[in-house]
Amino acid sequence: VPATATPPAQLLLLGTGTVGSAFVARWQQLARQGWRLPRLAALANSRSALACGDDIAEALQTARQWSPVACREEAVAAGFAGLNELLQANNIVVDATASDAVAACHADWLARGVHVVTANKLGNGADLLRAQAIARARRETGACYGDAATVGAGLPLLRTIRALVAGGDRIHAIEGVLSGSLAWLFDRFDGERRFSGCVRTACAAGYTEPDPRLDLSGEDVRRKLLILARAAGLALETHEVQVESLLPSALSVADITEVDAALIALDAPLRQRYRNALRDGARLRFIGHVETGIGAGHRASVGLRALPADHPLCGGRGTDNRVAIHSDRYRTQPLVIQGPGAGAEVTAAALIDDVLRITSA
Amino acid sequence: VPATATPPAQLLLLGTGTVGSAFVARWQQLARQGWRLPRLAALANSRSALACGDDIAEALQTARQWSPVACREEAVAAGFAGLNELLQANNIVVDATASDAVAACHADWLARGVHVVTANKLGNGADLLRAQAIARARRETGACYGDAATVGAGLPLLRTIRALVAGGDRIHAIEGVLSGSLAWLFDRFDGERRFSGCVRTACAAGYTEPDPRLDLSGEDVRRKLLILARAAGLALETHEVQVESLLPSALSVADITEVDAALIALDAPLRQRYRNALRDGARLRFIGHVETGIGAGHRASVGLRALPADHPLCGGRGTDNRVAIHSDRYRTQPLVIQGPGAGAEVTAAALIDDVLRITSA
């Protein structure tokens, strides 16, 4: 019987928004530079899917122009139905969506031997059972799960935490500024200008989600903290993270059309918190913090904190993320990693890092 | 013909000083915690070598008590002669020495398929030809070269630079506080107390080499900068790094017995440089800096610099290393990695990280 060679890996890109488009742009740039890349075989979004052919830019253009439908699970399922032939062992799915329905498929794909590379935080950052199913499927089939893009847009956070654990280190605590938009807001907010004005500027610059409440609620940070904590080996449940939202109730219940007008409800309380911090020589930072429970119970929280100006998490500028890792090894002084942790370009680059790690292994 | 199973990897530890001893201590700790580790088969230092047997602590004690001989190459060679049977494919040599003669063997060992894990900077941080021979031998045999301990004592510096390059990023520049002892000295020096006194305190605390001139000359930083630059793909020659030593000539030519008395020659010039920096609102930091030549020629330098107080390399405390990486991807704001980068314990932990990466691959 002649040996059959494994067919070369093909790639399926899910999501054609800003991250998916940046992925295609970087893909083409690396191809022009002569990098050997797997074939980008198909694109899909919540409306439909198509095979790419040779002109990937044209395919992307087509996909972005499909008429929008309400992003229902059935539409997603329909979009993916034609892609079943690609969902086979050794191929790679790149998830550049923010869809819960897509994240719900990650474990199934891994169980079929399909590698998954994702910017979607709802795989390892949602329910613990889902994250555990992903870990189990990886172990069983040896398929790879590339999630560097989910926290810090490819900053070497997850890789570093996993490498420490693999080397016998025990992680005691992880704390970090994990939201690029909230980092930018509290870097800019000086207690004089209105916080609502800062939020509007951040929205206009594309630093926040279109609805800034997704950032201000702390839910995005909760997901990232869950991903970091689970990478450190802690089976942390979603509800165990205490999240203090920045949203006053008037703002959180406002209709999307009234959000802009309702932002001023942020101004008075945040001005007061800024002044209190300033009085103590401290700075406001929006922090995710988890203690893994080495020697005690575990605790996890997300919220605004007043930190001493020389605290490691007070460094950085603009949208910089920064994370401090405390462990057996980094007991006196933490390991700190800081850098741009948001934006379509760095996120797309992190996705391609993970794809290349799989295809060059 | 029946298939022959690969025999399990065995480990040979070279060097029984503070790093080698810390390696053995951590080894035993992980073994007690139930980690599966390869067999630590033999110990060697510049005096002799011995098989470990079951009681590794006793073997270490014996090796440390061998009567010292001048550390000549012949002594090293004699020490290693009995170890030839261990130098075979799939085994692992851990180099916890600072010996040039040992580093000169790295490429040969790799060419025989022996993995090398090293805290010794003289493999990739000495002559370019030697570093290139190491890279070539790795490629040819697939043997691993674990050098995480050589810069930043295992901080995720080399791994991060190599991962960026593997993902298609181009490194523009790397700058860093790369010496734990010099970091400590310029964190402590306030322009009032004598710099010579700070050096004596650092010596007494074990932060410097026994002869502090090895740190103050900048040679240690030159080696680390060479290792980082070469990891970024730059074929940098040793002599291309412009090193500004901190040593006044009176101190650099002093006999080792006169060093302590001659340290006061540092005081006046460093007080002046401190005052000049202070006048400009800057801080003194001892920096290694390389521009890799994307778009221009490459440049590399080591020396004392006056940096703005909010510069990324002004953060950190005590002996913390910190490194800023500028690249295509990290163009506006650099990626910054900071943490304890010196000391026998973190160095030993970095060695074991690399050993476990090899044995679990």
Side-chain angles (χ1 to χ4, degrees):
Chain A
V1 183
T4 50
T6 313
Q10 297 192 75
L11 209 139
L12 164 57
L13 173 64
L14 308 182
T16 58
T18 52
V19 171
S21 301
F23 180 90
V24 169
R26 184 164 175 79
W27 195 258
Q28 294 181 300
Q29 183 194 6
L30 288 183
R32 279 195 301 273
Q33 290 174 11
W35 284 75
R36 287 186 56 182
L37 305 167
R39 198 170 88 85
L40 185 46
L43 298 178
N45 57 25
S46 58
R47 281 95 74 190
S48 190
L50 88 169
C52 282
D54 287 333
D55 193 338
I56 293 165
E58 187 182 273
L60 178 66
Q61 204 52 36
T62 304
R64 287 175 62 91
Q65 287 168 354
W66 285 322
S67 51
V69 295
C71 181
R72 291 163 297 126
E73 291 202 15
E74 304 88 72
V76 175
F80 296 153
L83 303 171
N84 245 324
E85 62 190 271
L86 279 170
L87 293 171
Q88 54 180 264
N90 203 37
N91 282 351
I92 303 171
V93 171
V94 176
D95 181 356
T97 76
S99 157
D100 189 63
V102 174
C105 300
H106 288 180
D108 291 341
W109 294 333
L110 292 165
R112 295 166 69 166
V114 177
H115 307 296
V116 177
V117 169
T118 182
N120 184 348
K121 292 183 278 289
L122 296 172
N124 274 339
D127 279 353
L128 180 59
L129 281 176
R130 183 182 288 175
Q132 288 172 331
I134 287 170
R136 196 165 46 239
R138 294 172 68 177
R139 272 198 310 274
E140 284 170 4
T141 66
C144 298
Y145 191 69
D147 57 359
T150 59
V151 187
L155 291 175
L157 301 172
L158 291 166
R159 203 184 329 141
T160 295
I161 289 169
R162 289 178 182 133
L164 288 173
V165 172
D169 204 5
R170 296 180 307 173
I171 310 294
H172 300 194
I174 303 168
E175 50 180 347
V177 171
L178 299 171
S179 157
S181 51
L182 293 173
W184 188 88
L185 283 168
F186 288 101
D187 189 32
R188 183 176 172 85
F189 180 53
D190 60 2
E192 297 298 323
R193 40 167 76 94
R194 288 172 170 277
F195 193 82
S196 55
C198 297
V199 174
R200 286 192 193 100
T201 309
C203 283
Y207 296 152
T208 67
E209 299 290 324
D211 182 347
R213 292 178 297 183
L214 294 175
D215 299 288
L216 298 166
S217 69
E219 285 303 320
D220 172 70
V221 175
R222 183 210 298 259
R223 288 170 188 165
K224 290 171 175 165
L225 191 68
L226 285 166
I227 295 172
L228 291 171
R230 291 165 182 173
L234 182 64
L236 189 65
E237 297 273 7
T238 311
H239 65 81
E240 291 181 292
V241 185
Q242 305 294 320
V243 179
E244 293 168 40
S245 169
L246 288 176
L247 296 173
S249 58
L251 186 51
S252 56
V253 301
D255 185 79
I256 179 75
T257 59
E258 296 162 348
V259 166
D260 191 74
L263 284 175
I264 55 166
L266 290 162
D267 292 342
L270 282 171
R271 176 167 296 145
Q272 191 56 50
R273 292 188 74 166
Y274 187 93
R275 288 186 180 157
N276 293 348
L278 194 66
R279 193 193 53 213
D280 302 335
R283 294 186 189 178
L284 295 179
R285 294 287 182 255
F286 197 86
I287 301 287
H289 186 174
V290 58
E291 291 170 29
T292 58
I294 302 288
H298 62 261
R299 288 195 300 186
S301 64
V302 166
L304 194 63
R305 304 280 177 267
L307 301 180
D310 64 348
H311 190 282
L313 299 183
C314 280
R317 292 185 193 159
T319 61
D320 273 359
N321 282 201
R322 49 259 190 205
V323 172
I325 300 167
H326 305 257
S327 69
D328 282 353
R329 192 179 307 182
Y330 298 118
R331 193 185 282 273
T332 316
Q333 287 283 97
L335 167 61
V336 179
I337 295 172
Q338 170 187 305
E345 276 187 44
V346 278
T347 303
L351 290 172
I352 289 186
D353 286 351
D354 274 339
V355 169
L356 291 176
R357 243 189 294 279
I358 291 167
T359 56
S360 70
Chain B
V1 183
T4 49
T6 313
Q10 297 192 74
L11 208 137
L12 164 56
L13 173 63
L14 308 182
T16 57
T18 52
V19 172
S21 301
F23 180 91
V24 169
R26 186 165 173 78
W27 195 259
Q28 295 181 299
Q29 184 194 7
L30 288 182
R32 279 194 300 271
Q33 290 173 11
W35 285 75
R36 286 187 54 182
L37 304 167
R39 199 170 87 84
L40 185 46
L43 299 178
N45 57 26
S46 57
R47 279 97 72 191
S48 191
L50 88 169
C52 281
D54 287 333
D55 192 339
I56 294 165
E58 185 182 273
L60 178 67
Q61 203 53 36
T62 304
R64 287 175 62 91
Q65 287 168 354
W66 284 324
S67 51
V69 295
C71 183
R72 292 161 297 128
E73 292 202 14
E74 305 87 74
V76 174
F80 297 154
L83 304 171
N84 246 323
E85 63 191 271
L86 279 171
L87 293 172
Q88 54 180 263
N90 203 36
N91 282 351
I92 302 171
V93 171
V94 175
D95 181 356
T97 77
S99 157
D100 189 63
V102 174
C105 301
H106 288 181
D108 292 340
W109 294 334
L110 292 165
R112 296 165 69 165
V114 177
H115 306 296
V116 177
V117 169
T118 181
N120 183 348
K121 292 183 278 290
L122 295 172
N124 274 338
D127 279 353
L128 180 59
L129 282 175
R130 183 182 288 174
Q132 289 173 331
I134 287 170
R136 197 164 46 241
R138 293 172 68 176
R139 273 198 309 275
E140 286 170 5
T141 65
C144 298
Y145 191 70
D147 57 359
T150 60
V151 188
L155 291 175
L157 300 172
L158 293 165
R159 203 185 327 142
T160 294
I161 289 169
R162 290 179 181 133
L164 288 172
V165 171
D169 204 5
R170 295 179 307 172
I171 310 294
H172 300 194
I174 302 168
E175 50 181 345
V177 171
L178 299 171
S179 157
S181 51
L182 293 173
W184 187 89
L185 283 169
F186 288 101
D187 189 33
R188 181 175 174 87
F189 181 52
D190 61 1
E192 298 298 324
R193 39 167 77 92
R194 289 173 169 275
F195 193 81
S196 56
C198 297
V199 174
R200 286 193 193 100
T201 309
C203 283
Y207 297 151
T208 67
E209 299 290 325
D211 182 347
R213 293 178 298 184
L214 295 175
D215 300 288
L216 297 167
S217 69
E219 285 303 319
D220 171 72
V221 176
R222 183 210 297 262
R223 289 170 188 165
K224 290 171 176 165
L225 190 68
L226 286 166
I227 296 172
L228 290 171
R230 291 166 182 172
L234 182 65
L236 189 66
E237 297 274 7
T238 311
H239 64 81
E240 291 182 293
V241 185
Q242 305 295 319
V243 178
E244 294 168 40
S245 169
L246 288 176
L247 296 173
S249 58
L251 185 52
S252 54
V253 301
D255 184 81
I256 180 74
T257 58
E258 296 161 349
V259 166
D260 192 74
L263 285 174
I264 56 165
L266 290 161
D267 292 342
L270 282 170
R271 177 168 295 147
Q272 191 56 49
R273 293 188 73 165
Y274 187 93
R275 288 186 181 160
N276 293 348
L278 194 66
R279 193 192 53 213
D280 302 336
R283 293 187 191 177
L284 294 180
R285 294 289 182 255
F286 197 86
I287 301 289
H289 186 174
V290 58
E291 293 171 27
T292 58
I294 302 289
H298 62 261
R299 288 195 301 188
S301 64
V302 167
L304 194 63
R305 304 280 177 266
L307 300 178
D310 64 348
H311 189 284
L313 299 185
C314 279
R317 292 184 194 161
T319 61
D320 274 359
N321 281 200
R322 48 258 192 205
V323 172
I325 300 166
H326 305 259
S327 69
D328 283 355
R329 192 180 304 181
Y330 299 117
R331 193 185 283 275
T332 316
Q333 287 283 97
L335 167 61
V336 180
I337 296 171
Q338 169 187 305
E345 276 187 45
V346 278
T347 303
L351 290 171
I352 289 186
D353 286 352
D354 275 339
V355 169
L356 290 176
R357 244 190 293 281
I358 291 167
T359 55
S360 70

